[in-house]
Amino acid sequence: MNKTIAVIRGDGIGPEIVGEALGVLDAVAARFHHSFIYREAPMGGCAIDEFGVPLPDSSLETCLHADSVLLGAVGGPKWDSQPSANRPERGLLKLREAMGLYTNVRPARMFADLASSCPLRADIAARGIDFVVVRELIGGVYFGSHSTAEENGEQKAVDIMSYTEHEIRRVAHVAFQMARKRRGRVTSVDKANVLDTSRLWRKTVEEVAKEYPDVELLHMYVDNAAMQIVRDPSQFDVLVTENLFGDILSDEASQITGSIGMIPSSSMGEGTRGMYEPIHGSAPDIAGQDKANPIGTILAAAMMLRYSFDMAQEADTVENAVDAVLKAGYRCGDIMGEGCRLVGCREMGRLIREQI
Ligand code: IPM
Ligand code: MG
């Protein structure tokens, strides 16, 4: 198969980790006789430096015309003083919206070989961590109007949070369908005791649930959910929630696995084109030092193979290669454990390619 992949290397450690993921994709192409064509799409701080804006039109076009998008990470302190409409993050939001990527899926799974990195009490970790956060990605307060203005002699800022039924319904369907392929439980997270958007969320999710009588639906307030994720993560299978809550809970969910550097994510809309990225950030403090863990990005590439290109065997091969390298005791700094062998970003990439 021939596939065109838009490549957003981004900022900080982005270029290093993406470089290793492309190396792995090349190895997959060679072994399975595919051809992957990479098209560079500068975005983020590097695009601000070069083009003055975080998402140049040419990059947007490249992404819209590709079969899928692979992203490293964007942002960093260098661009913190940019006006809010021109921050690196804006590029990412604009791209998600333009591509119609309304569902973000972030698995929180503890790798058996990395259980010792789990920050939770051993008896809690022993019950296992294996759930997915399904986050609505192009609605809510992220995409409402934002303003800051003078009022009564002081500054006042306003961010509008809104949701329509169809925005809720489409992501709820994704969650229920996913639960069907997993352990059959959806936990919908909201703040329905306070917010109108949450009351509409809950009502709409309940309506969608009628189409999935085989899936169990629970509702949970977001504050309680934040607590339950550390108290007993084993209770979750598919957790579905709105944009801002999902942003927060997905960071929490990934951290309890002890390996935020290992976790990939997918953003999808209608159709098969998606955007795939590790869930961690651009880590400017270790950029350019060959210290970053490329596994999150490599597993994101595996997700792309599986969900956008329908290449299940190829995806399995990449995931098995990662498992094998971990089993052999190789670790990057973020997941280093006793008796393991510390390797850099490039060496980790090479070891994984070697398994393919
Ligand atoms: C994420 C990030 C982004 C978000 C930022 C960079 C805009 O935190 O992908 O979770 O908040 O969605
Ligand atoms: Mg986030």
mmCIF file of all heavy atoms in Angstrom, residues 262-284:
data_model
loop_
_atom_site.group_PDB
_atom_site.id
_atom_site.type_symbol
_atom_site.label_atom_id
_atom_site.label_comp_id
_atom_site.label_asym_id
_atom_site.label_seq_id
_atom_site.Cartn_x
_atom_site.Cartn_y
_atom_site.Cartn_z
ATOM 1 N N MET A 262 5.316 6.777 27.424
ATOM 2 C CA MET A 262 5.051 5.562 26.644
ATOM 3 C C MET A 262 3.685 5.590 25.978
ATOM 4 O O MET A 262 3.336 4.662 25.260
ATOM 5 C CB MET A 262 5.028 4.362 27.591
ATOM 6 C CG MET A 262 6.238 4.224 28.462
ATOM 7 S SD MET A 262 7.487 3.281 27.649
ATOM 8 C CE MET A 262 6.571 1.793 27.313
ATOM 9 N N ILE A 263 2.877 6.613 26.291
ATOM 10 C CA ILE A 263 1.467 6.504 25.919
ATOM 11 C C ILE A 263 1.130 7.300 24.661
ATOM 12 O O ILE A 263 1.383 8.502 24.588
ATOM 13 C CB ILE A 263 0.575 6.915 27.102
ATOM 14 C CG1 ILE A 263 0.895 5.974 28.273
ATOM 15 C CG2 ILE A 263 -0.889 6.833 26.713
ATOM 16 C CD1 ILE A 263 0.031 6.153 29.468
ATOM 17 N N PRO A 264 0.566 6.614 23.662
ATOM 18 C CA PRO A 264 0.199 7.267 22.413
ATOM 19 C C PRO A 264 -1.245 7.753 22.477
ATOM 20 O O PRO A 264 -1.994 7.385 23.393
ATOM 21 C CB PRO A 264 0.298 6.127 21.413
ATOM 22 C CG PRO A 264 -0.132 4.920 22.189
ATOM 23 C CD PRO A 264 0.312 5.155 23.619
ATOM 24 N N SER A 265 -1.637 8.548 21.513
ATOM 25 C CA SER A 265 -3.046 8.924 21.436
ATOM 26 C C SER A 265 -3.455 9.107 19.991
ATOM 27 O O SER A 265 -2.618 9.356 19.120
ATOM 28 C CB SER A 265 -3.306 10.202 22.230
ATOM 29 O OG SER A 265 -3.027 11.338 21.456
ATOM 30 N N SER A 266 -4.757 8.957 19.759
ATOM 31 C CA SER A 266 -5.265 9.180 18.411
ATOM 32 C C SER A 266 -6.363 10.220 18.466
ATOM 33 O O SER A 266 -7.096 10.299 19.446
ATOM 34 C CB SER A 266 -5.834 7.884 17.833
ATOM 35 O OG SER A 266 -7.036 7.556 18.499
ATOM 36 N N SER A 267 -6.444 11.008 17.421
ATOM 37 C CA SER A 267 -7.545 11.958 17.279
ATOM 38 C C SER A 267 -8.196 11.669 15.934
ATOM 39 O O SER A 267 -7.524 11.681 14.907
ATOM 40 C CB SER A 267 -7.026 13.396 17.306
ATOM 41 O OG SER A 267 -6.316 13.630 18.504
ATOM 42 N N MET A 268 -9.504 11.400 15.989
ATOM 43 C CA MET A 268 -10.201 10.994 14.770
ATOM 44 C C MET A 268 -11.499 11.777 14.602
ATOM 45 O O MET A 268 -12.049 12.290 15.569
ATOM 46 C CB MET A 268 -10.585 9.501 14.825
ATOM 47 C CG MET A 268 -9.500 8.531 15.191
ATOM 48 S SD MET A 268 -8.455 8.045 13.808
ATOM 49 C CE MET A 268 -9.573 7.071 12.817
ATOM 50 N N GLY A 269 -11.972 11.819 13.367
ATOM 51 C CA GLY A 269 -13.289 12.393 13.096
ATOM 52 C C GLY A 269 -14.082 11.369 12.315
ATOM 53 O O GLY A 269 -14.041 10.181 12.633
ATOM 54 N N GLU A 270 -14.779 11.807 11.278
ATOM 55 C CA GLU A 270 -15.412 10.854 10.373
ATOM 56 C C GLU A 270 -14.321 10.343 9.440
ATOM 57 O O GLU A 270 -13.376 11.057 9.135
ATOM 58 C CB GLU A 270 -16.504 11.546 9.547
ATOM 59 C CG GLU A 270 -17.598 12.213 10.372
ATOM 60 C CD GLU A 270 -18.385 11.241 11.256
ATOM 61 O OE1 GLU A 270 -18.436 10.033 10.927
ATOM 62 O OE2 GLU A 270 -18.926 11.693 12.285
ATOM 63 N N GLY A 271 -14.454 9.115 8.966
ATOM 64 C CA GLY A 271 -13.448 8.603 8.031
ATOM 65 C C GLY A 271 -12.227 8.074 8.745
ATOM 66 O O GLY A 271 -12.185 8.018 9.972
ATOM 67 N N THR A 272 -11.237 7.714 7.963
ATOM 68 C CA THR A 272 -10.091 7.007 8.544
ATOM 69 C C THR A 272 -8.898 7.907 8.833
ATOM 70 O O THR A 272 -7.958 7.475 9.478
ATOM 71 C CB THR A 272 -9.610 5.896 7.591
ATOM 72 O OG1 THR A 272 -9.255 6.516 6.342
ATOM 73 C CG2 THR A 272 -10.680 4.860 7.354
ATOM 74 N N ARG A 273 -8.921 9.143 8.346
ATOM 75 C CA ARG A 273 -7.752 9.987 8.575
ATOM 76 C C ARG A 273 -7.721 10.437 10.034
ATOM 77 O O ARG A 273 -8.723 10.873 10.581
ATOM 78 C CB ARG A 273 -7.790 11.211 7.669
ATOM 79 C CG ARG A 273 -6.449 11.946 7.671
ATOM 80 C CD ARG A 273 -6.529 13.203 6.860
ATOM 81 N NE ARG A 273 -7.653 13.999 7.294
ATOM 82 C CZ ARG A 273 -8.330 14.811 6.505
ATOM 83 N NH1 ARG A 273 -8.008 14.929 5.250
ATOM 84 N NH2 ARG A 273 -9.336 15.507 6.978
ATOM 85 N N GLY A 274 -6.568 10.325 10.644
ATOM 86 C CA GLY A 274 -6.455 10.737 12.040
ATOM 87 C C GLY A 274 -5.161 11.474 12.280
ATOM 88 O O GLY A 274 -4.333 11.635 11.378
ATOM 89 N N MET A 275 -5.024 11.924 13.513
ATOM 90 C CA MET A 275 -3.762 12.537 13.916
ATOM 91 C C MET A 275 -3.266 11.738 15.116
ATOM 92 O O MET A 275 -4.020 11.468 16.041
ATOM 93 C CB MET A 275 -3.980 13.996 14.277
ATOM 94 C CG MET A 275 -2.699 14.681 14.672
ATOM 95 S SD MET A 275 -2.820 16.451 14.399
ATOM 96 C CE MET A 275 -3.757 16.919 15.813
ATOM 97 N N TYR A 276 -2.000 11.375 15.084
ATOM 98 C CA TYR A 276 -1.451 10.487 16.104
ATOM 99 C C TYR A 276 -0.253 11.150 16.757
ATOM 100 O O TYR A 276 0.602 11.707 16.069
ATOM 101 C CB TYR A 276 -1.054 9.154 15.462
ATOM 102 C CG TYR A 276 -2.249 8.450 14.875
ATOM 103 C CD1 TYR A 276 -2.706 8.767 13.591
ATOM 104 C CD2 TYR A 276 -2.961 7.527 15.621
ATOM 105 C CE1 TYR A 276 -3.838 8.157 13.064
ATOM 106 C CE2 TYR A 276 -4.095 6.908 15.103
ATOM 107 C CZ TYR A 276 -4.526 7.229 13.825
ATOM 108 O OH TYR A 276 -5.648 6.635 13.315
ATOM 109 N N GLU A 277 -0.212 11.066 18.070
ATOM 110 C CA GLU A 277 0.866 11.743 18.804
ATOM 111 C C GLU A 277 1.061 11.074 20.155
ATOM 112 O O GLU A 277 0.158 10.407 20.659
ATOM 113 C CB GLU A 277 0.492 13.213 19.008
ATOM 114 C CG GLU A 277 -0.815 13.389 19.756
ATOM 115 C CD GLU A 277 -1.298 14.836 19.846
ATOM 116 O OE1 GLU A 277 -0.560 15.655 20.388
ATOM 117 O OE2 GLU A 277 -2.420 15.113 19.384
ATOM 118 N N PRO A 278 2.232 11.268 20.744
ATOM 119 C CA PRO A 278 2.399 10.813 22.126
ATOM 120 C C PRO A 278 1.631 11.791 23.004
ATOM 121 O O PRO A 278 1.387 12.921 22.585
ATOM 122 C CB PRO A 278 3.904 10.962 22.348
ATOM 123 C CG PRO A 278 4.310 12.074 21.447
ATOM 124 C CD PRO A 278 3.419 11.948 20.240
ATOM 125 N N ILE A 279 1.270 11.370 24.208
ATOM 126 C CA ILE A 279 0.484 12.319 24.991
ATOM 127 C C ILE A 279 1.355 13.298 25.794
ATOM 128 O O ILE A 279 0.857 14.289 26.291
ATOM 129 C CB ILE A 279 -0.556 11.630 25.883
ATOM 130 C CG1 ILE A 279 0.078 11.187 27.178
ATOM 131 C CG2 ILE A 279 -1.220 10.470 25.225
ATOM 132 C CD1 ILE A 279 -1.001 11.227 28.224
ATOM 133 N N HIS A 280 2.638 13.011 25.895
ATOM 134 C CA HIS A 280 3.495 13.929 26.661
ATOM 135 C C HIS A 280 3.778 15.193 25.853
ATOM 136 O O HIS A 280 3.469 15.268 24.661
ATOM 137 C CB HIS A 280 4.803 13.238 27.039
ATOM 138 C CG HIS A 280 5.589 12.790 25.844
ATOM 139 N ND1 HIS A 280 6.247 13.666 25.015
ATOM 140 C CD2 HIS A 280 5.799 11.556 25.317
ATOM 141 C CE1 HIS A 280 6.838 12.996 24.054
ATOM 142 N NE2 HIS A 280 6.583 11.713 24.202
ATOM 143 N N GLY A 281 4.406 16.169 26.500
ATOM 144 C CA GLY A 281 4.670 17.445 25.850
ATOM 145 C C GLY A 281 6.047 17.521 25.219
ATOM 146 O O GLY A 281 6.699 16.491 24.972
ATOM 147 N N SER A 282 6.510 18.750 24.964
ATOM 148 C CA SER A 282 7.727 18.939 24.182
ATOM 149 C C SER A 282 9.006 18.901 25.030
ATOM 150 O O SER A 282 10.103 18.968 24.491
ATOM 151 C CB SER A 282 7.642 20.263 23.416
ATOM 152 O OG SER A 282 7.536 21.325 24.341
ATOM 153 N N ALA A 283 8.855 18.798 26.330
ATOM 154 C CA ALA A 283 9.994 18.632 27.261
ATOM 155 C C ALA A 283 11.228 19.434 26.868
ATOM 156 O O ALA A 283 12.303 18.864 26.660
ATOM 157 C CB ALA A 283 10.347 17.143 27.397
ATOM 158 N N PRO A 284 11.114 20.770 26.799
ATOM 159 C CA PRO A 284 12.247 21.583 26.343
ATOM 160 C C PRO A 284 13.500 21.398 27.195
ATOM 161 O O PRO A 284 14.619 21.572 26.698
ATOM 162 C CB PRO A 284 11.729 23.023 26.430
ATOM 163 C CG PRO A 284 10.400 22.979 27.085
ATOM 164 C CD PRO A 284 9.901 21.578 27.065
#
